[in-house]
Amino acid sequence: MEDEVKLYAVAGSPFVCRVEIALNLKGIEYQIVEEDLKNKSSDLLNFNPVRKEVPVLLHNGNPISESLVIVEYIDHVWKGFPILPHDPYEKSVVRFWAKFIDSTCIPALFKVFGSNGAEQAIAEAFEQLQILEDELAAKGTKFFGGDDINLIDVAANFIAYWLGMLEEGTEIKFVTKDKFPKIMEWAGNFVKVEVVKKVLPPRIIPPKAQLLAVFKKRFGNS
Amino acid sequence: MEDEVKLYAVAGSPFVCRVEIALNLKGIEYQIVEEDLKNKSSDLLNFNPVRKEVPVLLHNGNPISESLVIVEYIDHVWKGFPILPHDPYEKSVVRFWAKFIDSTCIPALFKVFGSNGAEQAIAEAFEQLQILEDELAAKGTKFFGGDDINLIDVAANFIAYWLGMLEEGTEIKFVTKDKFPKIMEWAGNFVKVEVVKKVLPPRIIPPKAQLLAVFKKRFGNS
């Protein structure tokens, strides 16, 4: 049986982007179902009744929600490029960092924009980013995953790509080369990865105002 | 080689409790290292430099942090009682709910106590608990895991046990049998599970004032 893979998505979501990178790392064919967040489809509400959010992956009729849960599912089901290491200890280290990025760094960054660049929010975001900066410096590798990207890099795509757009759009420019040289170097490497390039350009360049509206609507108060 | 398993812990932490339940479900022998959160050991700071928090599991010299990451590690490394299902789709459903409890329900409950029972905080917590209530009603099983507990039940131990103590201690009593009959029934079943009983009684009954101090210090402002 041919796999049926559908991704319920909106352009401009770094969470959707995680799933698209994972699907492309595995070379999986999939269909995008564009959602209108102001008028969510009955499919989306039905497949993700708890969160009512994209991304949702529908694989042979089974709906999966939460971007990092979806990426782990993809890595488990499809062979090929390993997104998580196989070794249980290494796997736990990767999951730790992905969770740190997901539940600490990204909310701290959203607060910066939600608060229109409040000093306290910037100080808190800096503290979290410094931890990533130090980790990259300690590893001395191209990516969090080493020579290749892994779950940590995928989780952090917001920092590599969307943050720059958001900084530009709002003129809150705070992640600089002077302050976070390793993060900036990593971001440069990340957006040059073939699969990442493939995912980003066609879908991620909605008009800037629209992108900002998406971010503000979804994360402004978080 | 004999496995060396140490758990850096404090009494009264539902996050530590998750790991202890997992270790006991697998029948693993482990040594507790009690931490003083006001004066953290150099081991703890060294093993979890990012979060500087318990629980940390040290397995043959490898430190693992983040309670749900640790539970997944334990389930992967030790055979016996399965804490997550093997099937990748079922696994993703379980991870979805564990994450929902971890990152939405529990913070909502902490806000209730942090705000001393503010109306808005209670309304938000009710909304999240209602989702769990509906899920238990839809499943119609003894536990979130079915006939046996799984990762979801382990993640939710705070709701089954600590919430009651916190309600008592602060006199903010809001999770009632009338409002959440399924959750209350589940909580009753959960604390009767042999392994849960074994973990709870010896370690979880610090003097109530001390327990409240632990909760307030750690979660009061979250």
Side-chain angles (χ1 to χ4, degrees), chain B:
Chain B
M1 190 182 85
E2 186 98 343
D3 277 312
E4 188 201 41
V5 183
K6 281 188 190 176
L7 179 62
Y8 293 78
V10 292
S13 160
F15 305 105
V16 168
C17 202
R18 288 175 178 168
V19 178
E20 286 210 72
I21 293 170
L23 289 166
N24 281 279
L25 283 170
K26 297 286 188 178
I28 301 164
E29 304 252 323
Y30 61 99
Q31 182 195 335
I32 289 272
V33 184
E34 288 282 352
E35 283 290 332
D36 174 0
L37 294 183
K38 286 188 208 126
N39 183 22
K40 295 173 184 176
S41 71
S42 56
D43 267 5
L44 180 64
L45 300 177
N46 188 29
F47 292 145
N48 188 3
V50 173
R51 293 273 189 210
K52 303 178 179 70
E53 283 293 357
V54 295
V56 171
L57 188 77
L58 191 72
H59 180 213
N60 297 335
N62 287 328
I64 304 139
S65 303
E66 279 295 335
S67 62
L68 293 180
V69 172
I70 299 171
V71 173
E72 288 232 18
Y73 174 83
I74 290 168
D75 195 43
H76 187 151
V77 169
W78 283 275
K79 302 304 150 205
F81 188 95
I83 302 172
L84 284 97
H86 181 72
D87 174 78
Y89 179 63
E90 286 173 29
K91 193 175 280 204
S92 75
V93 173
V94 164
R95 283 184 179 140
F96 172 86
W97 283 105
K99 173 158 184 176
F100 173 68
I101 288 165
D102 195 54
S103 65
T104 304
C105 294
I106 293 184
L109 291 169
F110 287 153
K111 263 191 195 152
V112 171
F113 295 97
S115 68
N116 221 356
E119 212 171 302
Q120 170 73 3
I122 289 180
E124 279 170 27
F126 275 176
E127 200 180 316
Q128 307 310 330
L129 289 171
Q130 191 61 50
I131 292 171
L132 294 184
E133 177 75 15
D134 294 345
E135 173 67 5
L136 282 167
K139 285 181 83 87
T141 50
K142 202 169 165 188
F143 301 110
F144 287 101
D147 294 334
D148 284 309
I149 64 172
N150 73 4
L151 182 74
I152 309 174
D153 302 278
V154 173
N157 78 75
F158 174 77
I159 299 166
Y161 190 83
W162 309 91
L163 187 58
M165 289 195 71
L166 208 43
E167 285 190 327
E168 239 182 277
T170 55
E171 285 160 14
I172 305 172
K173 184 137 191 80
F174 74 110
V175 183
T176 63
K177 216 167 196 156
D178 284 351
K179 188 138 188 75
F180 299 111
K182 292 289 170 192
I183 291 179
M184 295 301 274
E185 193 186 326
W186 163 81
N189 290 331
F190 182 76
V191 298
K192 277 189 217 100
V193 173
E194 277 310 312
V195 157
V196 174
K197 267 202 286 191
K198 183 180 160 190
V199 168
L200 295 182
R203 292 187 29 75
I204 50 121
I205 318 230
K208 201 172 284 172
Q210 190 186 319
L211 178 70
L212 283 173
V214 168
F215 279 133
K216 287 215 164 145
K217 182 172 171 3
R218 302 190 65 204
F219 315 113
N221 301 316
S222 72

Side-chain angles (χ1 to χ4, degrees), chain A residues 48 50-51 62-66 69 72-73 76-77 86 88-89 92 95-97 99-100 102-104 131, chain B residues 50-51 62-66 69 72-73 76-77 86 88-89 92 95-97 99-100 102-104 131:
Chain A
N48 187 2
V50 173
R51 293 274 190 209
N62 287 327
I64 305 139
S65 303
E66 280 294 334
V69 172
E72 288 232 18
Y73 175 84
H76 188 152
V77 169
H86 182 71
Y89 178 63
S92 75
R95 284 183 178 141
F96 172 85
W97 283 104
K99 171 154 188 182
F100 173 67
D102 195 54
S103 65
T104 305
I131 291 171
Chain B
V50 173
R51 293 273 189 210
N62 287 328
I64 304 139
S65 303
E66 279 295 335
V69 172
E72 288 232 18
Y73 174 83
H76 187 151
V77 169
H86 181 72
Y89 179 63
S92 75
R95 283 184 179 140
F96 172 86
W97 283 105
K99 173 158 184 176
F100 173 68
D102 195 54
S103 65
T104 304
I131 292 171

Side-chain angles (χ1 to χ4, degrees), chain A residues 65-170:
Chain A
S65 303
E66 280 294 334
S67 62
L68 293 180
V69 172
I70 299 171
V71 173
E72 288 232 18
Y73 175 84
I74 290 168
D75 195 43
H76 188 152
V77 169
W78 284 276
K79 303 304 149 206
F81 187 95
I83 302 173
L84 283 97
H86 182 71
D87 174 79
Y89 178 63
E90 287 174 29
K91 194 175 279 204
S92 75
V93 173
V94 164
R95 284 183 178 141
F96 172 85
W97 283 104
K99 171 154 188 182
F100 173 67
I101 288 165
D102 195 54
S103 65
T104 305
C105 293
I106 293 183
L109 291 169
F110 286 153
K111 263 192 196 153
V112 171
F113 295 98
S115 67
N116 220 357
E119 212 171 303
Q120 171 72 5
I122 290 182
E124 279 170 26
F126 274 177
E127 199 181 316
Q128 307 310 330
L129 288 171
Q130 191 61 50
I131 291 171
L132 294 184
E133 177 74 15
D134 294 345
E135 174 66 5
L136 283 167
K139 285 182 82 86
T141 51
K142 203 169 164 188
F143 301 109
F144 287 101
D147 294 335
D148 284 310
I149 64 172
N150 73 5
L151 182 74
I152 309 174
D153 302 278
V154 173
N157 79 75
F158 174 77
I159 299 167
Y161 189 85
W162 308 93
L163 187 59
M165 289 193 72
L166 208 42
E167 284 191 328
E168 240 182 275
T170 55

